Amino acid sequence: MRAGRITGAMITGAMMTGALTGALTGCAREPEQTSGSADVRGSVRLFQSFFPVVSLDISGTDPGGVHLEWTLRWDIDEPEISLEVDESNGVATASIDCHLNNLCEATATATVPATAAVSADALYGQVTLADTSGAAEIALQTGDIRLERLAGNVEIGVETGDVTGTDLACPGLYVGGRAGARTIHYAQTPLSVDLRTLSGDIGLEVPAGDYAVETSAGGSVTVEGLADDPTQTHTIGAVTEDGDISIVGY
């Protein structure tokens, strides 16, 4: 196990916006800021992150391990950011410790092996995941999630926020949450898609073909360009209590 605190040099520049900026409005002390980077090399099978407030971009473009770059902002005590790897199982973990629950946030970019599984967990912010073929799990309380060119099974839980997917090849995709739109485009025929929200519209585009389709909506439901066959093993589920559903085969 390699672990430790990793910090960078103090920098100046434009103040980041978001939850921390709003919370600090009116405070006499200006928030502080620092940036840095770190690498862990080797066979990484799982990259996971644990951040309180974050703008996080993860892409599967580094075959040799994990490269992490970040900018941190905080109000009282400087948070600790760590990047660890357990060489016995190939799990790399990035996390932020906000001391005594002081406010802190991060903007971070991580490049990982394309085949690595990915897990991201944050309270607020936004997460982008692109160009990976391993399984992925993302949990976000409030914020938006963007998925691009993924080929592994994906599970998303977001309390309040939009989820957008572009050029996906995920065999299985599950998106659940209380509020927010679901806008998903598939480049290859999926095996199972399940999109759920209590409040928000759902839009799904998949290659034309036969699917078993189940929908439930408080608004309108439109299904075009594909055949609904309940005997099929390729399934589509879409549920919204307050919103419209559009499913299009192209």
Side-chain angles (χ1 to χ4, degrees):
M1 172 81 74
R2 292 200 303 265
R5 181 183 177 189
I6 308 167
T7 60
M10 189 70 67
I11 64 170
T12 60
M15 290 173 51
M16 292 169 58
T17 60
L20 178 63
T21 301
L24 295 176
T25 300
C27 294
R29 179 179 175 179
E30 289 291 330
E32 297 187 66
Q33 180 170 301
T34 187
S35 66
S37 64
D39 291 89
V40 295
R41 315 310 297 173
S43 178
V44 174
R45 289 188 287 276
L46 170 64
F47 171 72
Q48 55 188 4
S49 65
F50 301 96
F51 295 151
V53 181
V54 66
S55 175
L56 176 63
D57 291 334
I58 305 171
S59 62
T61 55
D62 188 340
V66 176
H67 175 71
L68 182 68
E69 297 183 358
W70 68 82
T71 297
L72 301 179
R73 293 182 70 242
W74 67 93
D75 61 341
I76 299 176
D77 295 325
E78 181 177 358
E80 292 184 7
I81 185 166
S82 65
L83 179 60
E84 306 172 349
V85 61
D86 186 336
E87 295 179 348
S88 68
N89 57 20
V91 175
T93 304
S95 61
I96 296 176
D97 181 11
C98 295
H99 302 289
L100 301 175
N101 293 319
N102 293 329
L103 296 171
C104 65
E105 70 176 12
T107 297
T109 300
T111 55
V112 304
T115 56
V118 173
S119 174
D121 194 331
L123 293 177
Y124 305 99
Q126 61 183 33
V127 177
T128 299
L129 176 62
D131 300 307
T132 61
S133 58
E137 296 183 359
I138 300 176
L140 186 62
Q141 180 171 304
T142 301
D144 298 333
I145 298 172
R146 183 168 183 83
L147 313 172
E148 301 176 352
R149 299 176 301 279
L150 304 183
N153 291 322
V154 176
E155 293 189 8
I156 304 292
V158 54
E159 187 77 4
T160 302
D162 297 339
V163 179
T164 303
T166 304
D167 294 335
L168 300 184
C170 311
L173 173 64
Y174 172 82
V175 180
R178 295 184 60 83
R182 315 286 182 243
T183 307
I184 305 295
H185 172 268
Y186 262 85
Q188 297 183 27
T189 301
L191 182 61
S192 173
V193 180
D194 191 356
L195 308 176
R196 297 173 180 267
T197 180
L198 292 181
S199 177
D201 295 337
I202 295 176
L204 174 64
E205 294 181 346
V206 295
D210 296 340
Y211 299 84
V213 180
E214 293 188 6
T215 62
S216 176
S220 65
V221 176
T222 302
V223 179
E224 297 178 345
L226 53 84
D228 179 8
D229 181 353
T231 67
Q232 289 296 314
T233 57
H234 295 267
T235 63
I236 294 173
V239 177
T240 175
E241 292 189 8
D242 183 12
D244 301 330
I245 293 175
S246 173
I247 301 173
V248 176
Y250 67 91

